[in-house]
Amino acid sequence: MPPAKPPPPPAVEGDPDARIRYATSVTGLDPLDLDARFKELSALRKGKGKAANAAQVQARADEDVKLIERLLKSEGYYDGLALATVDPVADKPGEVAVTLTATPGDRYSLGKIETRLDDPNAVPLTRAALGLKTGDPIVAAVIENAEATVALRLPEQGYPFVEVGARDVLLDDATHLGDYTLPVKAGPRSSFGGFRAVGDPVFGVDHIALFPRFKPGELYDARKVDDLRQALVATSLYSTVAVEPVRTGTINPDGTEVVDLLVRQSKGPWRSLAGSAGYGTGEGIKVTGSWTSRNLFPPEGALSVEAVAGTQQQSLGTTFRRSNAGQRDRTVQANASVARQRFDAYNAETVSLAGSIARLSTPIWQKKWTYSVGAELIGTRETRNVLSNTDRTRSTYIIAALPLQLGYDGSDSLLDPTRGFRLTGRISPEAQKRTGSGGYDGYARMLLEGSTYFPVTDSIVLAGRTRLGSIVGASRDSIAPSRRLYAGGGGSVRGFGYQELGPKDVNNDPIGGRSLTEFAVEARYRFGNFGIVPFIDAGRVGAGSTPSISNLRYGAGIGGRYYTNFGPMRVDIATPINRQPGESKVALYISIGQAF
């Protein structure tokens, strides 16, 4: 007669799904720094101390025994053993104690290291990339990373078709050494050839040939191929794009094989609608909307139409832009616009035509060096404020300008920098004809701006900005109001309204100046997707052409940030220090991106 089955342990009160409770203890793993990895994967831990019956507890314990032995082997303890015991807890019906004991044994180290390659020239490159040494512990993660490095480094040194085979480790339990052998099929050492294109006809091979930073005949380098792929992605014309090497069988005099690059193209959406909205004290509400066709005139000939509707400004403009025009990163642009502006500093109705050749950063492709060379023709009818005149007289100006810009961006982000610095210089020689005047006024507008970013901790960044401006060659009152220098606003000295800071006429309206000095310092504290930014700004606008730090005005405030995947949303509130009559008590600014 078979023995009677033991009665099941009593159910745990208040939890009908868990008839057994258990506690787990592990010894032997903590000195090997394996305890944390065990806890992440443990079946007993995942059970949270509850099980349906004793058999389930034992099954989880057996699974964890296998886990411990795998972890030991991954660190080179190939003779390691694990043992599990499950014992009832005295005086606690329905509870058991699970004890796991790890015995690592001796650790195995690398003995002889051998790489087997089909190309003897690739042996030193492979050994250098592998980086393993005799006597090193046999750690699975280290060996896997070393083999991945071989697969990464050889294509950077002329071997695009490398294949890393399955390793062999022969263990000797007497010496506790493991002889390591890695077969590698390097394939032919190769150099760059031409291009091929398949898939959607986004670009032909002639246009694709503008993007690479290498020339035919150079030794193959996978990093330059990836750079080419990223440049193609940055055009925003692809849904997906891949670049892969293709053997040609042609051998160069230096023994390398010519490989072509095959570009697999999949067309993405070429048209887009975009919109943004912001608010600034003295500038009012501004809503911007645009429609763009990025490849209306192939290749990369874009046409966009943008409209601005605001409480104090309205405009409509169209822009033609040819990206990668004749060479990578060169943009040719032409635009026309009409605008109506109603600011305290001036009222204006403006028609403008402009063109430029430039190399500029985009949110997708941030560049270290940027430049722009352009030309502008502007017709504008504006109020003409002067210091001693109470009338807001109007004049018509015809202005021709040749704006030039050079910039360096050493920051780590275009919209939310946390380290590095930026420096930008602008100069615009201009000729102006005003109705009622006897001739032309010639002058030059100059601006130098620098900003720096320093991470104090992982969550706090100190940021600073300096801006200096000057106009030389003409008196302030003869220059069109819209071409003078102003300060105040969300992108200038916060605490003051838009263009509010500086000399004013007898009506207490800003009249601008010929020199500009601005400073700003802020501490950006981020926690999760939110941030707080206290700041202090300073600025001055002068009638003379030389920037000065005398009689600086200051504004201070605090801002909030909400960080999105396209950049931070910014809300700043500030007040002028030593506020003067007519100045805003509090200024509010809402926009996208950091202040600088």
Side-chain angles (χ1 to χ4, degrees):
M1 181 175 180
K5 294 182 179 179
V12 180
E13 292 185 10
D15 192 350
D17 295 327
R19 301 183 62 192
I20 291 286
R21 291 187 184 276
Y22 61 86
T24 304
S25 63
V26 183
T27 60
L29 290 182
D30 193 49
L32 308 178
D33 292 327
L34 292 174
D35 194 56
R37 289 168 60 188
F38 171 78
K39 289 179 180 178
E40 292 176 2
L41 303 172
S42 167
L44 288 165
R45 295 277 181 178
K46 291 178 182 178
K48 298 181 179 180
K50 299 177 183 179
N53 49 52
Q56 189 176 53
V57 175
Q58 186 64 56
R60 292 174 183 174
D62 292 342
E63 188 175 339
D64 278 359
V65 165
K66 296 176 182 178
L67 170 63
I68 290 174
E69 291 180 347
R70 290 197 304 271
L71 291 175
L72 292 174
K73 286 181 172 62
S74 73
E75 291 294 317
Y77 299 97
Y78 287 94
D79 297 331
L81 297 174
L83 178 67
T85 60
V86 181
D87 299 311
V89 178
D91 301 326
K92 291 186 178 180
E95 293 190 27
V96 297
V98 183
T99 303
L100 297 166
T101 304
T103 306
D106 291 322
R107 195 177 200 182
Y108 282 71
S109 300
L110 288 170
K112 181 181 178 182
I113 299 174
E114 182 181 0
T115 54
R116 297 176 181 171
L117 287 102
D118 55 347
D119 183 352
N121 295 322
V123 172
L125 299 176
T126 304
R127 291 300 298 268
L130 195 62
L132 299 177
K133 298 178 181 178
T134 297
D136 289 347
I138 302 177
V139 179
V142 172
I143 291 177
E144 290 170 357
N145 289 338
E147 293 169 357
T149 302
V150 172
L152 177 67
R153 293 288 179 258
L154 261 64
E156 295 175 354
Q157 300 176 75
Y159 293 94
F161 306 105
V162 62
E163 296 178 12
V164 178
R167 78 185 76 89
D168 179 67
V169 181
L170 183 60
L171 300 176
D172 187 335
D173 57 5
T175 62
H176 299 105
L177 294 176
D179 291 339
Y180 172 87
T181 303
L182 181 68
V184 177
K185 185 179 179 181
R189 201 169 202 197
S190 306
S191 56
F192 289 114
F195 297 93
R196 307 179 192 181
V198 295
D200 296 331
V202 180
F203 297 142
V205 294
D206 290 343
H207 192 66
I208 292 173
L210 297 176
F211 290 89
R213 299 188 190 277
F214 55 83
K215 297 179 181 179
E218 288 186 16
L219 190 66
Y220 184 95
D221 188 335
R223 292 167 294 187
K224 295 180 180 180
V225 176
D226 189 58
D227 175 77
L228 167 61
R229 187 191 63 81
Q230 292 183 43
L232 293 172
V233 170
T235 66
S236 301
L237 297 178
Y238 289 100
S239 171
T240 59
V241 60
V243 183
E244 57 191 60
V246 178
R247 295 185 64 173
T248 67
T250 302
I251 306 300
N252 287 319
D254 62 0
T256 59
E257 181 176 335
V258 176
V259 296
D260 289 344
L261 294 180
L262 178 65
V263 180
R264 298 187 182 275
Q265 306 182 95
S266 179
K267 176 183 174 182
W270 288 356
R271 298 178 182 86
S272 62
L273 291 172
S276 64
Y279 173 81
T281 299
E283 193 175 6
I285 298 171
K286 183 171 69 175
V287 178
T288 302
S290 65
W291 170 88
T292 301
S293 179
R294 290 187 292 275
N295 205 34
L296 186 62
F297 307 99
E300 295 192 81
L303 183 69
S304 63
V305 178
E306 181 180 87
V308 175
T311 54
Q312 294 175 249
Q313 55 183 314
Q314 304 84 40
S315 67
L316 179 65
T318 183
T319 300
F320 168 78
R321 182 180 63 256
R322 175 78 71 187
S323 300
N324 299 297
Q327 70 179 45
R328 176 171 168 171
D329 295 335
R330 182 169 64 190
T331 300
V332 176
Q333 181 170 296
N335 63 278
S337 65
V338 294
R340 177 180 181 272
Q341 298 170 314
R342 293 293 183 267
F343 300 128
D344 291 340
Y346 58 86
N347 296 338
E349 290 85 32
T350 303
V351 177
S352 66
L353 299 173
S356 65
I357 299 174
R359 183 181 190 268
L360 303 174
S361 287
T362 69
I364 298 176
W365 196 260
Q366 184 177 358
K367 301 177 179 67
K368 291 286 187 184
W369 288 98
T370 59
Y371 68 84
S372 176
V373 179
E376 295 178 353
L377 182 61
I378 302 167
T380 178
R381 182 170 175 80
E382 304 181 4
T383 54
R384 181 171 173 266
N385 300 345
V386 294
L387 192 62
S388 60
N389 195 339
T390 59
D391 296 326
R392 296 176 64 88
T393 56
R394 298 178 67 79
S395 299
T396 299
Y397 301 84
I398 304 298
I399 303 167
L402 296 173
L404 310 172
Q405 176 176 310
L406 179 64
Y408 176 80
D409 187 349
S411 68
D412 59 347
S413 173
L414 195 64
L415 294 177
D416 186 25
T418 60
R419 64 178 66 248
F421 71 95
R422 298 171 178 169
L423 188 64
T424 302
R426 306 181 185 93
I427 182 170
S428 179
E430 302 185 4
Q432 169 191 284
K433 171 67 176 178
R434 178 171 59 88
T435 55
S437 65
Y440 291 89
D441 294 312
Y443 55 91
R445 304 171 73 238
M446 296 174 287
L447 191 68
L448 180 65
E449 182 172 0
S451 56
T452 185
Y453 313 93
F454 178 75
V456 179
T457 67
D458 290 341
S459 57
I460 299 177
V461 175
L462 291 181
R465 175 181 64 84
T466 300
R467 180 184 292 159
L468 301 174
S470 176
I471 300 177
V472 296
S475 66
R476 177 188 62 191
D477 293 344
S478 66
I479 300 171
S482 63
R483 310 301 284 181
R484 301 173 190 170
L485 297 175
Y486 297 90
S492 176
V493 182
R494 289 163 289 184
F496 298 87
Y498 181 65
Q499 299 179 336
E500 184 179 71
L501 183 61
K504 294 180 173 62
D505 64 10
V506 294
N507 296 322
N508 207 34
D509 291 322
I511 59 177
R514 293 196 301 149
S515 63
L516 171 70
T517 305
E518 289 182 1
F519 302 100
V521 177
E522 60 184 34
R524 300 171 181 173
Y525 171 58
R526 177 172 179 173
F527 48 96
N529 290 328
F530 297 90
I532 297 175
V533 182
F535 57 85
I536 183 167
D537 296 350
R540 174 189 182 275
V541 174
S545 61
T546 303
S548 172
I549 60 173
S550 63
N551 300 315
L552 285 172
R553 297 294 309 282
Y554 298 88
I558 192 167
R561 303 290 185 269
Y562 175 68
Y563 293 88
T564 69
N565 57 0
F566 58 85
M569 300 287 293
R570 172 168 70 105
V571 178
D572 287 342
I573 185 168
T575 185
I577 297 175
N578 191 25
R579 186 175 69 88
Q580 302 299 311
E583 293 177 346
S584 306
K585 294 182 179 179
V586 175
L588 175 67
Y589 315 98
I590 303 173
S591 66
I592 297 174
Q594 297 286 9
F596 55 88

